Amino acid sequence: MTRLTDGITLSGRRAPSRVLFGPHPTNLGNADRELTRRHTAYYERRAAGGTGIVVTETASVTDDDHPYERAPLAARCEQGWADVAEACHRHGALVLASLGHTGGQGSSAYSQSVMWAPSPFADPASRELPAEMEQEQIDSVVAGFAEAAHRTVRAGLDGVELDAGAFALLRQFHSGLTNQRQDGYGTDRLRLTREVVAAVREVIGTGRVLALRLSCDELAPWAGVTPEQAAEQVAELADVLDLLVVVRGGPFATSAYRPDAHTEPQFNLELCRAMRKAANDRVPVVLQGSVTEVPAAQAALDGGAADLVEMTRAQIAEPHLVELVRAGTPNRVRPCVLCNQACQVRDNRNPVVSCIGEPGSGHETQDLPVDGDLAEAAVQAQPVLVVGGGPAGLECARVLASLGHRVRIAERADRAGGMLRTAATGGAARERLALLADWLEAACVRLGARILTGTEIGPAELADAVDTGERVVLATGSRPAPRPWATPAQGDDAARVVVLDAPVLLASGPQSPLPDGPVVVDDPVGGPVGVGVAEWLAAAGRQVHLVTQDQVAGVQLARTGDLSDANVRLQRAGVRRELRSRLRELRSGCVVLEDVWTGGTREVPCVGVVDCGHRLPEEALYAARPGTPRAGDCVAPRTVLEAVLEGRGLALRIASGADRMTVPTSAVRSHGR
């Protein structure tokens, strides 16, 4: 039986495992479009964690291709590639450079020049019309791939991966959607890819790996690449490749490439199996597509669907994934919850790649102590009381316990997890959030922290803890904010409209607190909570009105790639989207909505309102004892990422004896295991 931890030889080069860390935007680059020392540290951490193959962030092969601000340019990556190769080779991992061109799916915002594509087909996302490539531009692209390959050889890399995936120019030539040419590149849509493969092979020879990332289903069967067509492409290309990565997606389905948890993990399993069959054992095939669970990844190898697995987001969440499996402790692998909240960074904010559960990811560059070094440097072990067992409290307790402190966690609910566990009840796609809560809880227990559920801590208990020498950490979470809309006087008929905070509803179920009838979900934030609650209620058979001040529901979901898909789901579920609207008033059996553009009002009948607005910090204990160290939502309610980061930071400050001092964020992020 082939195991994930078994090595594999490609073009005479030995990868130490069957796990691949795939190319993805990181925003770790600089203004000169170079790979930086941040890239080196980021990739080395995964190599040290046992990954078999590291594929670096896709570099554009010509300077007219500038798809996002910090996108690498191959002509400026040679030194960066050399640094990455040297760092990763110390741990045995192979390093491939992803080379590509985004064609008509790029951006002219940075290049300030026309985009080139097979045909003048306007991209569905940018709506920009590219120019049709002439032979001069085609020759330039082929030469660009060859020159980039030369640079990888000089840098000491183990090979290259050519991008023909969801955003790639090569895929655009493969597809009837985007290639409507009448010349030889239109009648033979693989011609450009064959020319690029031949040019690159001539440069790198047979002693280095030549891989291809191939979109095998554009999810646009009316004209796009279908699995049947892709099988023919694979059969034709298999003999000239050393590795094939099977992916999906195209211009109408870019979010399908790395979707969030609304898409089942391993969604490419059968597609990969079909392509492996088409390859007929002539080239090893890699399964890509939300491969996050170790047992499922192993099952893909056992079932013959793939020869290797790409676990990119899983290794952003847990850089040491392979080594933990090799050590026989896969239960210690920090889970990927497929939320895309911190690892999906191709947006106008230009955030650095990271992970809500492991905020050290993407921030590996500082030479600071971690784990064992911190334990040696820690002050004498002391008892600590953490009040609140949400993500901030659990992470704080986990780190303190790992450094030898005696920790107890007081959580007033029946189980630790806080808002993570509450949010995990809001529909099937959000259930994965509980995996992170479970992991934090289990890690605390394994490290000796005591979790006291059903335990309420008031000012008196807080004072007792301090008097007995316990350090106290507050992670008490959030409370509802005052509602900005008018509410009826007690006894008024309108008081019969039940008003619930979203966490209360999620904790109690979609039916019990609400009478029969239509429900209004008020979402002034435009984030995942409002959309998730609306979907959850609709799935329970409720008539739902989702109120948003924006022109589209869930506008913040653009950051995770779920915006258009979320609105499709709402439409299919029968949710009435009340767009450009604010909830202004409760009346008898209805709410009053105001149009944000015109100021006009209208009534929407309902029996209940679910408030999905911003919350405020729960500060009762802090007010009783000002200056007590605190972290997470009780400072300011935000996301899981900030809660975990602040919990970790506070633990390190306590451990170093500097809990009232500032510790660099880099030190906070570095304590990752």
Side-chain angles (χ1 to χ4, degrees):
M1 180 182 73
T2 300
R3 298 171 299 181
L4 286 174
T5 53
D6 289 342
I8 184 171
T9 300
L10 303 170
S11 298
R13 296 174 183 245
R14 187 72 173 172
S17 73
R18 301 284 178 126
V19 178
L20 183 143
F21 189 58
H24 55 284
T26 66
N27 283 331
L28 296 174
N30 59 25
D32 293 325
R33 304 187 65 186
E34 298 167 330
L35 297 184
T36 68
R37 61 187 293 266
R38 301 186 72 172
H39 282 100
T40 302
Y42 181 66
Y43 294 128
E44 183 179 11
R45 192 176 178 200
R46 278 76 198 169
T51 195
I53 303 172
V54 168
V55 186
T56 59
E57 187 168 358
T58 304
S60 299
V61 297
T62 60
D63 60 9
D64 64 286
D65 182 43
H66 198 158
Y68 51 99
E69 186 174 357
R70 299 182 195 172
L73 178 63
R76 298 176 185 170
C77 286
E78 188 171 333
Q79 184 57 55
W81 283 329
D83 294 342
V84 172
E86 181 182 4
C88 293
H89 286 165
R90 286 196 290 265
H91 307 284
L94 301 185
V95 180
L96 310 182
S98 176
L99 304 177
H101 192 297
T102 53
Q105 286 175 260
S107 171
S108 62
Y110 307 106
S111 67
Q112 296 294 292
S113 64
V114 67
M115 294 193 301
W116 295 98
S119 301
F121 173 84
D123 180 63
S126 72
R127 313 295 170 86
E128 184 169 349
L129 190 72
E132 181 169 300
M133 297 174 74
E134 299 182 8
Q135 192 63 48
E136 177 185 356
Q137 287 80 40
I138 291 174
D139 292 343
S140 176
V141 166
V142 175
F145 273 101
E147 175 57 29
H150 271 294
R151 294 180 183 277
T152 69
V153 172
R154 291 196 295 263
L157 267 61
D158 299 289
V160 301
E161 180 187 278
L162 308 179
D163 185 15
F167 295 89
L169 174 67
L170 294 183
R171 192 222 73 253
Q172 292 161 29
F173 269 86
H174 298 173
S175 171
L177 285 170
T178 45
N179 184 351
Q180 299 161 12
R181 302 171 69 96
Q182 301 302 311
D183 62 2
Y185 291 97
T187 56
D188 179 2
R189 292 180 177 147
L190 277 187
R191 177 177 169 180
L192 177 58
T193 296
R194 286 199 309 274
E195 290 177 355
V196 169
V197 168
V200 170
R201 176 63 80 189
E202 183 176 358
V203 170
I204 69 172
T206 58
R208 285 183 167 82
V209 179
L210 201 168
L212 177 67
R213 181 167 297 257
L214 182 66
S215 177
C216 298
D217 188 354
E218 289 191 292
L219 301 175
W222 62 91
V225 174
T226 64
E228 293 75 21
Q229 293 169 346
E232 296 175 0
Q233 296 171 358
V234 169
E236 182 173 343
L237 295 170
D239 288 331
V240 296
L241 300 174
D242 301 312
L243 193 66
L244 175 69
V245 185
V246 174
V247 303
R248 73 177 188 183
F252 291 104
T254 54
S255 65
Y257 178 48
R258 282 200 171 100
D260 69 7
H262 288 91
T263 300
E264 284 295 317
Q266 300 202 120
F267 51 83
N268 280 332
L269 184 66
E270 294 308 315
L271 181 65
C272 188
R273 190 190 307 277
M275 297 307 117
R276 189 169 185 261
K277 181 178 179 181
N280 196 25
D281 294 328
R282 290 177 292 160
V283 60
V285 176
V286 183
L287 170 66
Q288 182 274 347
S290 297
V291 185
T292 57
E293 310 292 339
V294 169
Q298 182 61 56
L301 300 184
D302 295 343
D307 302 285
L308 302 91
V309 291
E310 179 179 319
M311 303 185 75
T312 301
R313 284 180 287 181
Q315 291 178 96
I316 297 174
E318 180 50 80
H320 300 277
L321 184 149
V322 178
E323 283 304 303
L324 289 170
V325 174
R326 187 169 279 133
T329 55
N331 58 304
R332 297 191 184 184
V333 171
R334 184 186 285 100
C336 169
V337 299
L338 292 173
C339 67
N340 282 353
Q341 290 180 22
C343 60
Q344 191 91 291
V345 299
R346 196 168 170 177
D347 68 38
N348 56 12
R349 301 170 303 152
N350 284 332
V352 168
V353 67
S354 195
C355 174
I356 65 167
E358 171 45 324
S361 287
H363 298 269
E364 291 90 352
T365 52
Q366 292 79 7
D367 295 325
L368 293 158
V370 296
D371 292 355
D373 295 334
L374 276 170
E376 293 175 6
V379 297
Q380 183 176 2
Q382 55 188 308
V384 182
L385 169 64
V386 178
V387 184
L394 289 173
E395 176 67 3
C396 185
R398 181 190 75 85
V399 174
L400 285 169
S402 74
L403 298 176
H405 295 278
R406 301 187 301 278
V407 184
R408 64 184 181 120
I409 307 162
E411 168 55 49
R412 64 185 177 186
D414 293 336
R415 188 169 184 190
M419 280 295 186
L420 256 180
R421 208 170 289 286
T422 299
T425 64
R430 301 182 65 79
E431 289 175 355
R432 291 186 64 89
L433 292 172
L435 297 176
L436 180 55
D438 293 343
W439 185 88
L440 288 166
E441 185 179 43
C444 286
V445 172
R446 173 171 52 83
L447 293 165
R450 291 189 299 143
I451 302 177
L452 309 173
T453 56
T455 302
E456 185 83 34
I457 299 293
E461 290 82 5
L462 203 62
D464 289 344
V466 173
D467 290 343
T468 57
E470 263 187 311
R471 300 299 305 276
V472 175
V473 169
L474 298 181
T476 48
S478 63
R479 62 180 174 86
R483 298 183 177 102
W485 20 275
T487 56
Q490 193 66 29
D492 192 295
D493 284 346
R496 298 176 190 168
V497 176
V498 176
V499 179
L500 292 175
D501 293 298
V504 173
L505 175 71
L506 292 171
S508 58
Q511 296 288 357
S512 53
L514 294 168
D516 292 336
V519 178
V520 166
V521 176
D522 185 37
D523 181 24
V525 178
V529 176
V531 170
V533 167
E535 289 185 86
W536 188 53
L537 289 169
R542 291 278 183 179
Q543 180 184 342
V544 181
H545 297 258
L546 177 62
V547 179
T548 174
Q549 62 198 356
D550 301 307
Q551 297 185 64
V552 62
V555 67
Q556 301 294 337
L557 295 176
R559 298 174 180 178
T560 66
D562 190 43
L563 178 59
S564 60
D565 293 339
N567 278 271
V568 169
R569 294 194 305 271
L570 291 170
Q571 177 73 21
R572 289 175 175 171
V575 173
R576 172 77 178 268
R577 285 162 289 169
E578 306 289 351
L579 306 178
R580 305 186 312 277
S581 300
R582 291 192 184 98
L583 198 160
R584 286 305 192 196
E585 183 182 352
L586 293 188
R587 290 182 182 168
S588 179
C590 70
V591 296
V592 177
L593 303 184
E594 178 186 76
D595 189 293
V596 299
W597 287 0
T598 68
T601 61
R602 65 188 186 279
E603 293 184 351
V604 172
C606 67
V607 298
V609 175
V610 182
D611 182 7
C612 297
H614 290 287
R615 296 171 65 81
L616 294 177
E618 176 51 76
E619 299 176 301
L621 288 181
Y622 187 77
R625 200 171 189 89
T628 304
R630 54 182 176 161
D633 283 1
C634 68
V635 178
R638 287 149 295 158
T639 73
V640 180
L641 174 66
E642 287 83 16
V644 172
L645 180 59
E646 289 179 2
R648 182 179 297 182
L650 184 51
L652 297 184
R653 290 194 290 274
I654 291 172
S656 65
D659 54 299
R660 298 185 189 278
M661 299 168 54
T662 300
V663 172
T665 301
S666 52
V668 173
R669 292 182 182 272
S670 67
H671 193 87
R673 292 186 66 187

